[in-house]
């Protein structure tokens, strides 16, 4: 609980915790005093700290999560007591508002709320990151399954999002993908596999596979491989278009899943590779076959072996692309697959 944590820092007698509270207090104080000078609203400051410095939450988000009024009172008490770095009062608008971010907008240096920009370019960003208090845009859930969430956003395309850590592939994900194909072929115009958070997929759940090996449950491993191959083929031969919207890591089985879609739309900063050789395994989800099939198409009028050797060598070395452009050079993306520069436009491009 952020409120309890910040309260514990402010009330502690331990010098190291007092130091941490002072850092937060002076940060909140500075941002409130200078908000009107440095940004249109609190939104720009929080997003700048997220994007520029890798913070999970910006300063106004931290303040709001810990309780806007309670934190403001603590900061004001420290200013009055001379414990703050600057002897400058908090702006009066801090008392007038209850939060930095609301569904209506973000607070400005005058205490008003400024809505999110409504420029045409933002129409392509269907699900941009939301700040604390802005409200969550989660679409309409079609089925909340153990391994995946099936949902829709604004049309008749079925979205599939994994629910596992690092979006790895396990029995639950495979069952969810099968359910997605069945539902989409009956009720929807297409499928988009997209993860709202985290990478596209870090591959198969090797931790579970290791437990099965320790318990001599080799039949479960064989079943997982068989089921994964079958669901990939179902995706490839589905009667509706299937698009994989990739950003971040797409490794091992995660890349094989994407390669069986009709199209991949990848953010530029996507890192793809069949890396199973690094742990003493071979790709078992159809990735090698897909590579070989593509090579045959590319070299139909000549000798396939040089390119086949090159592609399989990169698999043997566990090489990972440094970008989506390099993934295309490595054969993981085709010329028909799309690459987008802005990750927040990925979902829009996948629906196009």
């Amino acid at each position: 609980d952020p409120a309890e944590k910040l309260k514990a820092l402010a009330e502690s007698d331990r010098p190291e915790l007092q130091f941490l509270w002072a850092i937060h207090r002076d940060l909140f104080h500075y941002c409130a005093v200078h908000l009107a000078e440095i940004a249109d609203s609190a939104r720009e400051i929080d997003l700048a700290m997220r994007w520029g410095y890798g913070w999970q939450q910006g300063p106004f988000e931290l303040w709001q999560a810990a309780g806007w009024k309670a934190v403001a009172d603590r900061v004001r008490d420290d200013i009055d007591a001379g414990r703050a770095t600057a002897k400058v009062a908090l702006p009066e608008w801090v008392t007038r508002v209850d939060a930095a971010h609301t569904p209506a907008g973000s607070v400005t240096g005058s205490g008003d709320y400024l809505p999110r920009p409504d420029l045409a370019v933002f129409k392509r960003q269907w699900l941009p990151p939301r700040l604390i208090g802005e409200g969550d845009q989660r679409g309409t859930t079609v089925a909340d399954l153990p391994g995946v969430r099936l949902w829709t956003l604004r049309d008749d395309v079925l979205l599939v999002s994994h629910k596992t850590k690092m979006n790895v592939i396990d029995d639950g994900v495979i069952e969810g993908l099968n359910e997605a194909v069945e539902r989409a072929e009956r009720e929807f115009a297409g499928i988009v596999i997209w993860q709202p958070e985290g990478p596209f997929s870090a591959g198969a759940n090797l931790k579970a596979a290791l437990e099965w090996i320790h318990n001599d449950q080799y039949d479960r491993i064989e079943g997982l491989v068989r089921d994964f191959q079958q669901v990939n083929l179902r995706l490839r031969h589905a009667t509706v278009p299937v698009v994989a919207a990739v950003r971040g890591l797409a490794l091992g089985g995660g890349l094989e899943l994407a390669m069986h879609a009709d199209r991949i739309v990848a953010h530029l900063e996507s890192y793809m590779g069949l890396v199973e050789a690094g742990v003493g395994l071979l790709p078992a989800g159809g990735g090698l076959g897909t590579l070989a099939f593509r090579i045959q198409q590319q070299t139909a009028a000549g000798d396939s072996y040089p390119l086949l050797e090159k592609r399989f060598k990169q698999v043997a070395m566990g090489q990972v692309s440094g970008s989506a452009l390099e993934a295309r050079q490595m054969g993981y993306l085709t010329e028909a697959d799309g690459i987008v520069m802005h990750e927040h436009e990925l979902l829009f491009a996948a629906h196009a």
Side-chain angles (χ1 to χ4, degrees):
D1 182 3
E4 290 298 322
K5 290 179 180 179
L6 212 59
K7 180 174 181 288
L9 292 181
E11 295 179 353
S12 175
D13 294 329
R14 297 174 58 180
E16 64 272 23
L17 299 185
Q18 291 177 356
F19 175 69
L20 289 174
W21 159 245
I23 291 175
H24 285 82
R25 176 200 64 213
D26 291 342
L27 171 67
F28 300 150
H29 187 193
Y30 178 89
C31 289
V33 169
H34 293 286
L35 175 58
E37 304 172 39
I38 60 179
D40 291 336
S41 72
R43 179 188 307 106
E44 285 71 35
I45 293 179
D46 282 348
L47 291 178
M49 299 308 293
R50 281 189 181 196
W51 296 340
Y53 293 91
W55 288 25
Q56 292 185 345
Q57 296 176 337
F60 283 105
E61 286 185 287
L62 290 171
W63 184 344
Q64 183 166 332
W68 184 265
K69 294 293 187 183
V71 171
D73 289 342
R74 291 183 185 280
V75 172
R76 191 177 294 107
D77 290 344
D78 279 10
I79 295 171
D80 295 341
R83 291 188 291 267
T85 300
K87 295 182 179 180
V88 179
L90 282 174
E92 58 84 22
W93 61 261
V94 172
T95 305
R96 285 193 286 111
V97 303
D98 296 319
H101 306 293
T102 71
S106 297
V107 71
T108 69
S110 62
D112 300 320
Y113 283 96
L114 183 68
R116 272 182 172 262
D118 195 29
L119 301 176
V121 66
F122 293 119
K123 304 295 185 183
R124 298 170 59 92
Q125 299 181 16
W126 282 7
L127 287 178
R130 312 296 290 182
L131 300 171
I132 285 180
E134 283 192 308
D136 196 9
Q137 293 181 336
R138 290 186 53 82
T140 302
T141 298
V142 175
D144 196 6
L145 305 174
V148 304
R149 177 183 178 230
L150 307 182
W151 55 294
T152 60
L153 188 58
R154 59 181 67 187
D155 52 24
D156 56 354
V157 173
L158 183 64
L159 293 166
V160 182
S161 301
H162 300 183
K163 294 166 64 175
T164 51
K165 184 177 181 180
M166 295 291 285
N167 298 316
V168 296
I169 297 165
D170 60 10
D171 290 329
V173 171
I174 293 173
E175 291 174 7
L177 290 169
N178 276 309
E179 177 72 14
V181 175
E182 291 178 9
R183 285 178 177 264
E185 290 182 333
R186 292 196 313 263
E187 306 169 24
F188 296 94
I191 296 173
V192 171
I193 305 173
W194 178 74
Q195 318 299 356
E197 297 180 359
F200 179 76
S201 176
N205 187 349
L206 296 183
K207 181 179 179 181
L210 186 61
E211 293 177 359
W212 295 341
I213 292 173
H214 286 163
N215 295 326
D216 293 329
Q217 296 176 302
Y218 296 101
D219 58 326
R220 297 194 65 178
I221 296 178
E222 293 174 357
L224 178 66
V225 172
R226 180 183 62 252
D227 293 344
F228 185 40
Q229 292 173 347
Q230 290 177 349
V231 77
N232 280 343
L233 290 176
R234 287 197 71 182
L235 290 167
R236 173 171 289 171
H237 299 293
T239 58
V240 295
V242 179
V243 177
V246 175
R247 62 178 170 189
L249 298 177
L251 302 178
L255 176 55
E256 291 179 298
L257 172 63
M259 291 173 71
H260 282 80
D262 295 297
R263 290 288 185 273
I264 298 175
V265 177
H267 178 228
L268 179 65
E269 295 186 23
S270 295
Y271 311 104
M272 306 181 186
L274 297 175
V275 297
E276 287 88 344
V279 291
L281 302 173
L282 288 176
L288 294 178
T290 301
L291 275 180
F293 179 72
R294 291 177 179 177
I295 291 167
Q296 189 275 331
Q297 289 181 316
Q298 293 169 347
T299 58
D303 185 5
S304 298
Y305 183 77
L307 185 56
L308 188 69
E309 180 185 28
K310 179 181 179 181
R311 294 283 185 260
F312 277 38
K313 182 179 179 180
Q314 72 192 25
V315 174
M317 300 294 290
Q319 294 178 359
V320 177
S321 71
S323 68
L325 292 173
E326 188 176 359
R328 177 171 285 162
Q329 296 172 359
M330 297 171 71
Y332 297 136
L333 295 180
T334 68
E335 291 300 322
D337 293 328
I339 297 175
V340 299
M341 299 295 291
H342 199 311
E343 66 172 312
H344 300 156
E345 296 182 1
L346 189 60
L347 195 55
F348 171 86
H351 279 69

